[in-house]
Amino acid sequence: MTTREYAIQCIKDEAQAVLDLIPKLDEDFDRAVELIMQCKGKVIVTGVGKSGHIGAKIAATLASTGTPSFFINPLDVYHGDLGVMAHGDVVIAISNSGQTDELLRFIPMVLHMEIPIVAMSGNPQSLLAKYSTCHLNVSVAKEACPLNLAPTSSTTATLVMGDALAVALMERRHFRPQDFALFHPGGELGKRLLTTAQDVMLTENLPVLTASMHLGEAIIHVSKGKLGLGVAVGDGLHIEGIITDGDIRRAMEKWQAEFFDRTVGDIMTRQPKTVSRQTKIADVQRLMNRHKIHSVLVADADHRLIGIVDRYACVL
């Protein structure tokens, strides 16, 4: 086979290994979810070698989706790190063979502390499976490695099982996008879901008009504002309407020579879209997309103008 054909076969083997996990999901998976849901402490993920690398990723996924968790190497436990564990925790122990010596020597300590163990292994008859509270079977028919030796399909299957566990827990916890953002405040999603209209709105030199203002004067204010719009306000900045540069162009075409005799009130939209200071920027963007507008007015509880959010401010 060519190198590309080997790559294709590898992908097929690993994809099949993942699909083969589906019939292996049984009551122990439900039990594992329930154990973690009822956990009053932390979820501690452990494993050696490649299993350890996979375990670290599983712990990170759990932690970022609402389950307090971290990874620990069982070798470190023998040198003082056992103190991180306490009654009320749950341990997820990963070993493809289920017979990894370093991991098995760690198990009696966990059992002595009466900490439940969720095992992930490819051997349901292993010692790890025997001493676990519940066992998640991640066995594979073969490794994707041409020699059937290097951990490939087995590590992929274990990683996917960890993701399945995390996703099931997210559903049980009714985990929302807002919750995800709290765990990822520095990412794009976090910014969109945590940033409010108040954080990005323009508040200075707003293009404020009156309904009685003639359109010739209104053009100057709209142009200076550089937002392509003007906001008609009454006493105390109460919002009465909005005009856009598109409204002005259409008015010119309609009235031609009479255009300069017309007022803002003749062409303004009298119920413009408004949001509050606390409206999330993601909701502002959805409002813009739904109504095909490029700016939204920010108003207080008395419907007074306090700012404007334009589309560019939503690009975080």
Side-chain angles (χ1 to χ4, degrees):
M1 290 196 297
T2 65
T3 53
R4 188 178 300 178
E5 288 171 334
Y6 274 115
I8 292 171
Q9 188 59 49
C10 173
I11 293 171
K12 286 182 177 180
D13 288 343
E14 295 203 18
Q16 188 60 52
V18 170
L19 291 174
D20 288 344
L21 289 176
I22 295 174
K24 297 185 178 77
L25 294 174
D26 56 16
E27 293 80 5
D28 269 17
F29 183 86
D30 298 331
R31 195 175 299 120
V33 171
E34 196 59 35
L35 269 176
I36 297 173
M37 281 293 298
Q38 300 303 320
C39 177
K40 303 299 182 183
K42 313 167 292 295
V43 174
I44 300 167
V45 186
T46 187
V48 178
K50 302 296 189 300
S51 294
H53 295 307
I54 296 299
K57 192 276 178 184
I58 292 174
T61 299
L62 289 170
S64 69
T65 53
T67 300
S69 61
F70 62 89
F71 174 81
I72 187 171
N73 190 313
L75 299 175
D76 294 333
V77 173
Y78 307 132
H79 301 284
D81 284 1
L82 185 62
V84 301
M85 296 187 187
H87 186 73
D89 292 342
V90 171
V91 166
I92 297 178
I94 304 172
S95 168
N96 185 46
S97 68
Q99 302 288 142
T100 305
D101 182 62
E102 299 91 337
L103 194 61
L104 292 179
R105 284 191 285 141
F106 162 73
I107 297 302
M109 307 177 199
V110 179
L111 295 176
H112 177 72
M113 300 174 71
E114 298 182 340
I115 297 175
I117 299 172
V118 176
M120 284 191 195
S121 87
N123 183 2
Q125 308 306 318
S126 64
L127 288 174
L128 177 60
K130 178 181 178 181
Y131 288 109
S132 64
T133 309
C134 48
H135 177 256
L136 305 182
N137 186 354
V138 291
S139 60
V140 298
K142 66 172 183 173
E143 298 288 5
C145 163
L147 304 176
N148 196 27
L149 295 174
T152 44
S153 297
S154 57
T155 49
T156 299
T158 305
L159 183 63
V160 170
M161 183 64 79
D163 287 343
L165 196 58
V167 168
L169 287 163
M170 288 174 69
E171 284 296 316
R172 283 292 307 276
R173 296 185 196 281
H174 305 293
F175 201 75
R176 302 166 302 166
Q178 291 86 345
D179 301 315
F180 190 85
L182 290 173
F183 290 98
H184 301 75
E188 180 181 351
L189 177 61
K191 290 179 182 177
R192 289 185 181 280
L193 294 175
L194 297 179
T195 302
T196 64
Q198 179 173 263
D199 297 324
V200 300
M201 67 183 183
L202 302 170
T203 58
E204 297 181 359
N205 301 317
L206 299 179
V208 173
L209 319 171
T210 63
S212 60
M213 182 182 291
H214 284 91
L215 292 179
E217 184 181 354
I219 290 175
I220 298 173
H221 289 276
V222 171
S223 179
K224 285 183 178 180
K226 298 180 180 180
L227 294 174
L229 59 83
V231 185
V233 299
D235 294 337
L237 290 180
H238 283 85
I239 299 171
E240 294 183 348
I242 189 173
I243 65 171
T244 67
D245 49 8
D247 294 328
I248 293 172
R249 288 194 302 273
R250 286 187 287 273
M252 285 181 172
E253 292 174 0
K254 179 179 179 181
W255 287 309
Q256 298 182 12
E258 299 177 14
F259 172 80
F260 291 98
D261 296 326
R262 299 290 178 168
T263 65
V264 169
D266 292 330
I267 66 170
M268 70 183 185
T269 300
R270 296 184 179 275
Q271 292 183 325
K273 304 303 177 186
T274 62
V275 297
S276 71
R277 299 175 187 265
Q278 293 76 33
T279 304
K280 298 292 188 295
I281 202 66
D283 294 327
V284 173
Q285 192 170 44
R286 278 193 286 270
L287 182 67
M288 291 180 181
N289 292 338
R290 186 184 313 127
H291 296 283
K292 298 180 179 179
I293 55 180
H294 60 76
S295 297
V296 171
L297 308 183
V298 184
D300 64 13
D302 295 319
H303 204 57
R304 292 177 299 196
L305 179 69
I306 55 177
I308 298 174
V309 178
D310 72 353
R311 182 172 295 279
Y312 296 107
C314 295
V315 181
L316 300 174

